[in-house]
Amino acid sequence: MKLELPHDSRLRQRDFLYGVATASFQIEGGAKHRQPCIWDTFCATPGKVRDGSDGQVACDHYHRWPEDLDLIQSLGVDAYRLSISWGRLLNQDGSVNPDGARFYLELLDGLKARGIKAFVTLYHWDLPQHLEDAGGWLNRDTAYRFAEYADKASRLFGDRVHAYATLNEPFCSAYLGYEVGIHAPGLAQPAYGRQAAHHLLLAHGLAMAVLKRNCPDTPSGIVLNFTPCYPHSDSEGDRAAAAYADDYINQWYIRPLFEGRYPEIIETLPEAVKPTIEPGDMDVIGHPLDFLGVNFYTREVYQAAADAPFQTVHLEAVERTDIGWEVYPQALTDLLVSLHRRYPLPPVYITENGAAMADQWQGEGVQDEDRTRYYQRHLEALHHAIEQGVDVRGYFAWSLMDNFEWAEGYLKRFGIVYVDYPSQRRIIKDSGLAYRDFIQSRTETP
Ligand code: IFM
């Protein structure tokens, strides 16, 4: 199956950027050469990760990065989105770890030599454990430690980085990690979730100022994930439930960036759950962005509930990926158009989109037409959003290769490249070949 879009689509122009994305903990391995992080601790806690696995070796990218860069180049992409492991780059005392610095500098130089733009995310969930021991994202001081880390990283990397994102998906760090506890560090209290979210956004704002000072010409922004919220019925109750869920899950992270305040539902939270916000915090958080990264995978449906502001509805008989997420591309169009109408958005990049599928490899290629179809339908949805005026500049497939999928361990495969973990062989799946051919077929911008 081929990926195809109308000839005059913005998505077919040469200057629309295509990339692949990964994250440090999910692929690097080389755990002995960095500080332990909260995910090492979480993985070592029985029952937390479905297959009992960890990130000690992962895709062994720490040792295999040159061949991985060749692989990326062979896909013909314009850009590679990677994240930096905070505890690999910095020692516990905050000094630069020379081995970690060498690893990332060589990697970034390797990208440059291959003509691939580096989109660097500074934080993709792997908080050094020593910072968690001091309170993690519940401790306001972590936000200032993050700004120092951003300072050291951006001075070191110089012009090797094409664009910086401060955080990846603060919703996941705060809500999954501190509010419901299904991600590291595994804490589970609403008050923790809200406070962690505020400190993460503060960290983002502080780091934005640092990045703009150190690299004024490098676009800097943040990556947010969105799971659009739809009402189960047209009833007032279901519509109110979906709106509340949207504020709690999605708008909570974007509204402070553009409007300097949290959604009004903050007033409905019990006093003990409301985050502590210091004077001036919202101004810091509202630092202008050069771009917004949007990660999109699926939607959720909500209904009213007697004892909670919203309740998730599990729809039967809808198409789902191997991780159980509904395939609903229309939500990508709806999301982008609604954000565009609601906020003064800077240029947008789709920094992650992709599907976990039950891939099989029996020594030849991997026929993942289901994934290619997912990409086809989401690229079409993106095309429709752009037609309605959303300024989208690029798209990154999640992920370059199969990797450690957090609480699912290695059970779920999101890659457009298959990883045979015992041999660490990489095999480009049919979806990867289709992505490569589609990228190659772009035309010059008139
Ligand atoms: O693998 C993750 C990634 O780390 C963050 N965004 C969602 C992906 C799929 O769950």
Side-chain angles (χ1 to χ4, degrees):
M1 179 184 175
K2 280 164 70 167
L3 293 172
E4 284 174 302
L5 281 175
H7 273 280
D8 56 353
S9 173
R10 173 79 186 93
L11 288 165
R12 296 219 35 200
Q13 293 174 351
R14 271 267 164 231
D15 64 345
F16 189 89
L17 181 145
Y18 285 95
V20 285
T22 64
S24 46
F25 191 86
Q26 293 179 273
I27 66 162
E28 281 180 5
K32 282 193 222 73
H33 306 276
R34 58 164 171 76
Q35 299 287 317
C37 74
I38 54 175
W39 272 93
D40 295 313
T41 311
F42 197 71
C43 291
T45 312
K48 296 295 186 191
V49 173
R50 271 229 292 156
D51 59 357
S53 63
D54 57 40
Q56 296 297 303
V57 177
C59 304
D60 198 27
H61 175 70
Y62 182 74
H63 296 108
R64 295 167 192 264
W65 66 267
E67 62 179 91
D68 286 340
L69 295 198
D70 290 344
L71 177 67
I72 295 170
Q73 188 178 31
S74 78
L75 293 170
V77 293
D78 309 298
Y80 175 46
R81 176 173 176 247
L82 68 147
S83 80
I84 305 296
S85 157
W86 186 342
R88 191 184 297 290
L89 191 68
L90 299 190
N91 297 313
Q92 183 163 345
D93 65 2
S95 60
V96 172
N97 164 18
D99 290 341
R102 190 176 327 111
F103 171 67
Y104 288 118
L105 288 171
E106 287 181 3
L107 187 64
L108 293 170
D109 284 339
L111 285 169
K112 206 164 210 170
R114 290 168 179 80
I116 300 164
K117 296 180 168 68
F119 277 61
V120 165
T121 300
L122 290 172
Y123 184 70
H124 196 126
W125 310 355
D126 40 2
L127 186 72
Q129 183 60 43
H130 66 89
L131 289 172
E132 181 58 33
D133 294 341
W137 290 110
L138 299 178
N139 181 353
R140 186 178 170 87
D141 192 52
T142 301
Y144 294 90
R145 299 286 80 79
F146 180 70
E148 287 166 14
Y149 157 54
D151 181 45
K152 295 210 162 106
S154 52
R155 280 175 199 270
L156 184 73
F157 298 153
D159 66 358
R160 294 170 178 87
V161 173
H162 180 80
Y164 278 109
T166 53
L167 308 177
N168 179 72
E169 304 183 348
F171 161 81
C172 295
S173 300
Y175 184 77
L176 303 182
Y178 289 85
E179 188 155 337
V180 295
I182 60 171
H183 276 191
L187 302 182
Q189 282 196 30
Y192 291 168
R194 298 298 115 180
Q195 193 62 62
H198 182 66
H199 289 155
L200 279 151
L201 289 173
L202 181 66
H204 153 76
L206 293 167
M208 276 300 297
V210 167
L211 293 171
K212 292 320 296 177
R213 188 190 65 216
N214 289 355
C215 331
D217 300 328
T218 306
S220 295
I222 187 171
V223 171
L224 301 181
N225 61 309
F226 294 90
T227 306
C229 304
Y230 290 76
H232 187 47
S233 76
D234 212 24
S235 74
E236 205 177 304
D238 286 359
R239 281 191 284 119
Y244 194 107
D246 184 45
D247 278 351
Y248 202 72
I249 288 162
N250 299 313
Q251 309 302 326
W252 200 271
Y253 299 86
I254 187 168
R255 189 151 164 188
L257 303 176
F258 294 107
E259 294 182 3
R261 60 199 167 109
Y262 287 103
E264 281 83 18
I265 57 159
I266 193 170
E267 298 310 332
T268 68
L269 300 180
E271 279 312 309
V273 175
K274 286 185 185 157
T276 303
I277 302 170
E278 302 282 341
D281 282 3
M282 301 314 284
D283 291 338
V284 172
I285 291 171
H287 192 290
L289 300 172
D290 299 323
F291 73 90
L292 175 69
V294 170
N295 291 356
F296 175 86
Y297 290 89
T298 187
R299 68 153 180 180
E300 286 284 6
V301 175
Y302 294 92
Q303 66 187 11
D307 50 358
F310 55 87
Q311 187 175 57
T312 310
V313 179
H314 184 83
L315 298 178
E316 300 297 337
V318 294
E319 189 182 348
R320 293 182 185 277
T321 63
D322 191 42
I323 202 166
W325 298 348
E326 185 187 355
V327 179
Y328 195 79
Q330 177 65 40
L332 177 59
T333 314
D334 295 347
L335 167 72
L336 292 171
V337 171
S338 75
L339 293 179
H340 167 64
R341 293 192 178 144
R342 193 159 174 182
Y343 299 109
L345 295 184
V348 170
Y349 288 90
I350 305 303
T351 32
E352 286 182 27
N353 178 233
M357 295 296 181
D359 303 315
Q360 300 291 329
W361 179 62
Q362 269 125 14
E364 302 234 322
V366 178
Q367 284 94 46
D368 58 338
E369 201 170 309
D370 43 8
R371 183 177 288 102
T372 310
R373 200 173 321 112
Y374 180 98
Y375 280 121
Q376 171 68 32
R377 294 174 64 193
H378 286 79
L379 289 171
E380 283 170 11
L382 184 55
H383 166 75
H384 295 316
I386 293 173
E387 277 190 321
Q388 290 175 66
V390 190
D391 180 9
V392 184
R393 304 277 175 95
Y395 175 95
F396 290 80
W398 182 272
S399 174
L400 163 66
M401 57 184 159
D402 299 333
N403 57 49
F404 176 78
E405 178 52 28
W406 308 111
E408 300 289 327
Y410 297 94
L411 298 175
K412 300 298 166 195
R413 294 178 176 272
F414 273 93
I416 59 172
V417 173
Y418 187 93
V419 176
D420 176 51
Y421 293 109
S423 66
Q424 287 292 352
R425 239 185 99 179
R426 277 77 158 129
I427 301 103
I428 303 180
K429 300 178 192 176
D430 284 359
S431 61
L433 299 174
Y435 194 52
R436 180 197 66 187
D437 293 347
F438 174 70
I439 291 168
Q440 220 166 44
S441 76
R442 282 172 303 167
T443 48
E444 287 307 330
T445 313

Short mmCIF file of all heavy atoms in Angstrom, two decimals, residues 287-327:
data_model
loop_
_atom_site.label_atom_id
_atom_site.label_comp_id
_atom_site.label_asym_id
_atom_site.label_seq_id
_atom_site.Cartn_x
_atom_site.Cartn_y
_atom_site.Cartn_z
N HIS A 287 5.75 32.40 28.45
CA HIS A 287 6.83 32.86 27.55
C HIS A 287 6.45 32.55 26.10
O HIS A 287 6.03 31.42 25.80
CB HIS A 287 8.14 32.15 27.91
CG HIS A 287 9.33 32.76 27.25
ND1 HIS A 287 9.56 32.67 25.88
CD2 HIS A 287 10.35 33.49 27.75
CE1 HIS A 287 10.68 33.31 25.59
NE2 HIS A 287 11.18 33.82 26.70
N PRO A 288 6.59 33.51 25.18
CA PRO A 288 6.19 33.22 23.79
C PRO A 288 6.90 31.99 23.22
O PRO A 288 8.08 31.75 23.50
CB PRO A 288 6.63 34.49 23.03
CG PRO A 288 6.75 35.54 24.08
CD PRO A 288 7.11 34.85 25.37
N LEU A 289 6.16 31.25 22.43
CA LEU A 289 6.68 30.02 21.82
C LEU A 289 7.00 30.27 20.35
O LEU A 289 6.25 30.96 19.66
CB LEU A 289 5.63 28.92 21.87
CG LEU A 289 5.12 28.47 23.24
CD1 LEU A 289 3.93 27.51 23.06
CD2 LEU A 289 6.24 27.78 24.00
N ASP A 290 8.05 29.64 19.87
CA ASP A 290 8.34 29.71 18.42
C ASP A 290 7.55 28.64 17.66
O ASP A 290 7.32 28.78 16.47
CB ASP A 290 9.83 29.49 18.16
CG ASP A 290 10.68 30.57 18.83
OD1 ASP A 290 10.23 31.74 18.85
OD2 ASP A 290 11.77 30.24 19.33
N PHE A 291 7.23 27.56 18.35
CA PHE A 291 6.39 26.53 17.72
C PHE A 291 5.68 25.73 18.81
O PHE A 291 6.11 25.74 19.98
CB PHE A 291 7.23 25.59 16.83
CG PHE A 291 8.09 24.62 17.61
CD1 PHE A 291 7.61 23.37 17.98
CD2 PHE A 291 9.40 24.97 17.97
CE1 PHE A 291 8.41 22.49 18.70
CE2 PHE A 291 10.19 24.09 18.69
CZ PHE A 291 9.70 22.85 19.05
N LEU A 292 4.62 25.09 18.41
CA LEU A 292 3.93 24.16 19.30
C LEU A 292 4.01 22.76 18.69
O LEU A 292 3.66 22.57 17.52
CB LEU A 292 2.45 24.56 19.46
CG LEU A 292 1.61 23.58 20.29
CD1 LEU A 292 2.01 23.59 21.76
CD2 LEU A 292 0.11 23.90 20.15
N GLY A 293 4.49 21.81 19.47
CA GLY A 293 4.49 20.42 19.03
C GLY A 293 3.20 19.75 19.51
O GLY A 293 2.84 19.87 20.68
N VAL A 294 2.54 19.08 18.58
CA VAL A 294 1.28 18.40 18.91
C VAL A 294 1.47 16.89 18.69
O VAL A 294 1.84 16.47 17.59
CB VAL A 294 0.13 18.92 18.02
CG1 VAL A 294 -1.12 18.05 18.17
CG2 VAL A 294 -0.20 20.37 18.36
N ASN A 295 1.23 16.13 19.75
CA ASN A 295 1.25 14.66 19.62
C ASN A 295 -0.18 14.17 19.61
O ASN A 295 -0.97 14.52 20.49
CB ASN A 295 1.98 14.02 20.81
CG ASN A 295 3.47 14.30 20.81
OD1 ASN A 295 3.97 14.93 19.87
ND2 ASN A 295 4.16 13.86 21.84
N PHE A 296 -0.51 13.36 18.62
CA PHE A 296 -1.89 12.87 18.51
C PHE A 296 -1.90 11.39 18.17
O PHE A 296 -1.19 10.93 17.26
CB PHE A 296 -2.65 13.63 17.41
CG PHE A 296 -4.02 13.06 17.20
CD1 PHE A 296 -5.09 13.47 17.98
CD2 PHE A 296 -4.24 12.06 16.26
CE1 PHE A 296 -6.35 12.90 17.83
CE2 PHE A 296 -5.50 11.49 16.10
CZ PHE A 296 -6.56 11.91 16.89
N TYR A 297 -2.77 10.66 18.90
CA TYR A 297 -2.93 9.23 18.62
C TYR A 297 -4.40 8.82 18.50
O TYR A 297 -4.75 8.02 17.64
CB TYR A 297 -2.29 8.38 19.74
CG TYR A 297 -0.79 8.48 19.72
CD1 TYR A 297 -0.12 9.47 20.44
CD2 TYR A 297 -0.03 7.60 18.96
CE1 TYR A 297 1.26 9.57 20.41
CE2 TYR A 297 1.35 7.69 18.91
CZ TYR A 297 1.99 8.69 19.64
OH TYR A 297 3.35 8.79 19.59
N THR A 298 -5.25 9.35 19.42
CA THR A 298 -6.61 8.84 19.50
C THR A 298 -7.52 9.87 20.15
O THR A 298 -7.10 11.00 20.43
CB THR A 298 -6.62 7.52 20.31
OG1 THR A 298 -7.91 6.92 20.26
CG2 THR A 298 -6.26 7.74 21.78
N ARG A 299 -8.78 9.49 20.35
CA ARG A 299 -9.72 10.34 21.08
C ARG A 299 -10.30 9.53 22.24
O ARG A 299 -10.07 8.31 22.34
CB ARG A 299 -10.87 10.76 20.18
CG ARG A 299 -11.75 9.60 19.79
CD ARG A 299 -13.17 10.03 19.46
NE ARG A 299 -14.01 8.88 19.10
CZ ARG A 299 -15.27 8.97 18.77
NH1 ARG A 299 -15.86 10.16 18.73
NH2 ARG A 299 -15.99 7.90 18.46
N GLU A 300 -11.09 10.19 23.12
CA GLU A 300 -11.84 9.48 24.15
C GLU A 300 -13.27 10.00 24.12
O GLU A 300 -13.53 11.12 23.69
CB GLU A 300 -11.25 9.72 25.55
CG GLU A 300 -9.95 8.99 25.83
CD GLU A 300 -10.08 7.49 26.11
OE1 GLU A 300 -11.21 6.95 25.98
OE2 GLU A 300 -9.05 6.87 26.42
N VAL A 301 -14.19 9.16 24.59
CA VAL A 301 -15.61 9.53 24.65
C VAL A 301 -16.04 9.52 26.11
O VAL A 301 -15.63 8.64 26.88
CB VAL A 301 -16.43 8.52 23.81
CG1 VAL A 301 -17.92 8.78 23.95
CG2 VAL A 301 -16.01 8.59 22.34
N TYR A 302 -16.83 10.52 26.49
CA TYR A 302 -17.19 10.69 27.91
C TYR A 302 -18.69 10.79 28.09
O TYR A 302 -19.42 11.25 27.20
CB TYR A 302 -16.54 11.97 28.46
CG TYR A 302 -15.04 11.85 28.49
CD1 TYR A 302 -14.28 12.30 27.41
CD2 TYR A 302 -14.39 11.27 29.57
CE1 TYR A 302 -12.90 12.18 27.41
CE2 TYR A 302 -13.01 11.14 29.58
CZ TYR A 302 -12.27 11.59 28.50
OH TYR A 302 -10.91 11.46 28.51
N GLN A 303 -19.12 10.41 29.29
CA GLN A 303 -20.52 10.60 29.66
C GLN A 303 -20.58 11.15 31.09
O GLN A 303 -19.59 11.10 31.83
CB GLN A 303 -21.29 9.29 29.57
CG GLN A 303 -20.84 8.26 30.57
CD GLN A 303 -21.51 6.90 30.35
OE1 GLN A 303 -22.16 6.66 29.33
NE2 GLN A 303 -21.35 6.00 31.31
N ALA A 304 -21.75 11.66 31.43
CA ALA A 304 -21.94 12.20 32.78
C ALA A 304 -21.91 11.04 33.78
O ALA A 304 -22.23 9.90 33.44
CB ALA A 304 -23.28 12.92 32.84
N ALA A 305 -21.49 11.35 35.00
CA ALA A 305 -21.45 10.32 36.04
C ALA A 305 -22.00 10.92 37.33
O ALA A 305 -21.90 12.14 37.54
CB ALA A 305 -20.01 9.85 36.25
N ALA A 306 -22.56 10.06 38.16
CA ALA A 306 -23.18 10.57 39.39
C ALA A 306 -22.14 11.07 40.38
O ALA A 306 -22.34 12.07 41.07
CB ALA A 306 -24.01 9.45 40.02
N ASP A 307 -20.98 10.39 40.43
CA ASP A 307 -20.03 10.69 41.51
C ASP A 307 -18.69 11.25 41.03
O ASP A 307 -17.71 11.24 41.75
CB ASP A 307 -19.78 9.40 42.30
CG ASP A 307 -19.44 8.25 41.37
OD1 ASP A 307 -19.44 8.47 40.13
OD2 ASP A 307 -19.16 7.13 41.85
N ALA A 308 -18.64 11.68 39.77
CA ALA A 308 -17.39 12.26 39.24
C ALA A 308 -17.76 13.24 38.14
O ALA A 308 -18.85 13.15 37.56
CB ALA A 308 -16.51 11.15 38.68
N PRO A 309 -16.86 14.18 37.83
CA PRO A 309 -17.20 15.15 36.79
C PRO A 309 -17.30 14.54 35.40
O PRO A 309 -17.93 15.10 34.51
CB PRO A 309 -16.04 16.15 36.83
CG PRO A 309 -15.20 15.80 38.00
CD PRO A 309 -15.58 14.44 38.49
N PHE A 310 -16.70 13.37 35.19
CA PHE A 310 -16.80 12.72 33.87
C PHE A 310 -16.47 11.24 34.01
O PHE A 310 -15.81 10.83 34.96
CB PHE A 310 -15.86 13.37 32.84
CG PHE A 310 -14.41 13.42 33.25
CD1 PHE A 310 -13.56 12.36 33.01
CD2 PHE A 310 -13.90 14.57 33.86
CE1 PHE A 310 -12.21 12.43 33.38
CE2 PHE A 310 -12.55 14.65 34.23
CZ PHE A 310 -11.71 13.57 33.99
N GLN A 311 -16.96 10.50 33.03
CA GLN A 311 -16.67 9.06 33.03
C GLN A 311 -16.35 8.63 31.60
O GLN A 311 -17.08 9.00 30.67
CB GLN A 311 -17.92 8.33 33.50
CG GLN A 311 -17.72 6.85 33.71
CD GLN A 311 -19.00 6.22 34.29
OE1 GLN A 311 -20.06 6.33 33.68
NE2 GLN A 311 -18.87 5.61 35.44
N THR A 312 -15.29 7.89 31.43
CA THR A 312 -14.89 7.43 30.09
C THR A 312 -15.85 6.32 29.64
O THR A 312 -16.22 5.46 30.43
CB THR A 312 -13.46 6.86 30.15
OG1 THR A 312 -12.63 7.80 30.82
CG2 THR A 312 -12.91 6.59 28.77
N VAL A 313 -16.20 6.37 28.35
CA VAL A 313 -17.06 5.32 27.78
C VAL A 313 -16.18 4.47 26.87
O VAL A 313 -15.48 5.01 26.01
CB VAL A 313 -18.19 5.96 26.93
CG1 VAL A 313 -19.07 4.87 26.31
CG2 VAL A 313 -19.00 6.93 27.76
N HIS A 314 -16.23 3.17 27.06
CA HIS A 314 -15.48 2.28 26.15
C HIS A 314 -16.42 1.87 25.03
O HIS A 314 -17.36 1.11 25.25
CB HIS A 314 -14.96 1.06 26.90
CG HIS A 314 -14.11 0.19 26.02
ND1 HIS A 314 -12.77 0.44 25.79
CD2 HIS A 314 -14.41 -0.90 25.28
CE1 HIS A 314 -12.28 -0.46 24.97
NE2 HIS A 314 -13.26 -1.29 24.64
N LEU A 315 -16.17 2.38 23.84
CA LEU A 315 -17.03 2.05 22.70
C LEU A 315 -16.73 0.65 22.21
O LEU A 315 -15.55 0.28 22.06
CB LEU A 315 -16.80 3.04 21.56
CG LEU A 315 -17.12 4.51 21.83
CD1 LEU A 315 -16.79 5.34 20.59
CD2 LEU A 315 -18.57 4.71 22.23
N GLU A 316 -17.76 -0.12 21.97
CA GLU A 316 -17.59 -1.46 21.39
C GLU A 316 -17.54 -1.29 19.88
O GLU A 316 -18.01 -0.30 19.34
CB GLU A 316 -18.77 -2.37 21.77
CG GLU A 316 -18.95 -2.57 23.27
CD GLU A 316 -17.77 -3.28 23.95
OE1 GLU A 316 -17.02 -3.99 23.25
OE2 GLU A 316 -17.59 -3.08 25.16
N ALA A 317 -17.00 -2.28 19.21
CA ALA A 317 -17.07 -2.36 17.74
C ALA A 317 -16.52 -1.13 17.03
O ALA A 317 -17.08 -0.67 16.05
CB ALA A 317 -18.52 -2.61 17.29
N VAL A 318 -15.46 -0.55 17.58
CA VAL A 318 -14.76 0.49 16.81
C VAL A 318 -13.37 -0.06 16.49
O VAL A 318 -12.90 -0.98 17.16
CB VAL A 318 -14.64 1.84 17.58
CG1 VAL A 318 -16.01 2.45 17.80
CG2 VAL A 318 -13.89 1.67 18.89
N GLU A 319 -12.75 0.53 15.49
CA GLU A 319 -11.42 0.07 15.10
C GLU A 319 -10.41 0.52 16.15
O GLU A 319 -10.41 1.69 16.55
CB GLU A 319 -11.10 0.70 13.74
CG GLU A 319 -9.85 0.17 13.10
CD GLU A 319 -9.56 0.86 11.78
OE1 GLU A 319 -10.44 1.58 11.25
OE2 GLU A 319 -8.42 0.70 11.30
N ARG A 320 -9.56 -0.39 16.59
CA ARG A 320 -8.55 -0.05 17.60
C ARG A 320 -7.17 -0.56 17.17
O ARG A 320 -7.09 -1.55 16.43
CB ARG A 320 -8.89 -0.67 18.96
CG ARG A 320 -10.14 -0.08 19.57
CD ARG A 320 -10.47 -0.66 20.95
NE ARG A 320 -11.74 -0.12 21.40
CZ ARG A 320 -11.89 1.07 21.99
NH1 ARG A 320 -10.83 1.80 22.28
NH2 ARG A 320 -13.08 1.51 22.34
N THR A 321 -6.13 0.08 17.67
CA THR A 321 -4.78 -0.42 17.41
C THR A 321 -4.45 -1.48 18.46
O THR A 321 -5.25 -1.77 19.36
CB THR A 321 -3.74 0.72 17.49
OG1 THR A 321 -3.73 1.23 18.84
CG2 THR A 321 -4.05 1.83 16.50
N ASP A 322 -3.27 -2.04 18.37
CA ASP A 322 -2.89 -3.14 19.24
C ASP A 322 -2.77 -2.71 20.71
O ASP A 322 -2.74 -3.54 21.61
CB ASP A 322 -1.55 -3.72 18.74
CG ASP A 322 -1.21 -5.04 19.42
OD1 ASP A 322 -2.12 -5.87 19.59
OD2 ASP A 322 -0.04 -5.22 19.81
N ILE A 323 -2.71 -1.41 20.96
CA ILE A 323 -2.62 -0.93 22.35
C ILE A 323 -4.02 -0.58 22.86
O ILE A 323 -4.19 -0.12 24.00
CB ILE A 323 -1.61 0.24 22.46
CG1 ILE A 323 -1.08 0.41 23.88
CG2 ILE A 323 -2.17 1.53 21.90
CD1 ILE A 323 0.15 1.32 24.00
N GLY A 324 -5.03 -0.77 22.00
CA GLY A 324 -6.41 -0.56 22.42
C GLY A 324 -6.94 0.84 22.16
O GLY A 324 -8.05 1.18 22.58
N TRP A 325 -6.17 1.66 21.47
CA TRP A 325 -6.61 3.04 21.22
C TRP A 325 -7.45 3.08 19.96
O TRP A 325 -7.06 2.52 18.91
CB TRP A 325 -5.40 3.97 21.07
CG TRP A 325 -4.53 4.04 22.30
CD1 TRP A 325 -4.84 3.55 23.55
CD2 TRP A 325 -3.22 4.60 22.42
NE1 TRP A 325 -3.80 3.78 24.42
CE2 TRP A 325 -2.80 4.42 23.75
CE3 TRP A 325 -2.38 5.25 21.52
CZ2 TRP A 325 -1.56 4.87 24.21
CZ3 TRP A 325 -1.13 5.69 21.97
CH2 TRP A 325 -0.73 5.51 23.31
N GLU A 326 -8.59 3.78 20.05
CA GLU A 326 -9.48 3.89 18.88
C GLU A 326 -8.78 4.63 17.74
O GLU A 326 -8.07 5.62 17.96
CB GLU A 326 -10.75 4.66 19.28
CG GLU A 326 -11.76 4.69 18.14
CD GLU A 326 -12.97 5.59 18.43
OE1 GLU A 326 -13.09 6.12 19.54
OE2 GLU A 326 -13.78 5.75 17.49
N VAL A 327 -9.00 4.14 16.53
CA VAL A 327 -8.49 4.86 15.35
C VAL A 327 -9.58 5.84 14.93
O VAL A 327 -10.67 5.43 14.51
CB VAL A 327 -8.18 3.88 14.19
CG1 VAL A 327 -7.67 4.64 12.98
CG2 VAL A 327 -7.16 2.83 14.64
#
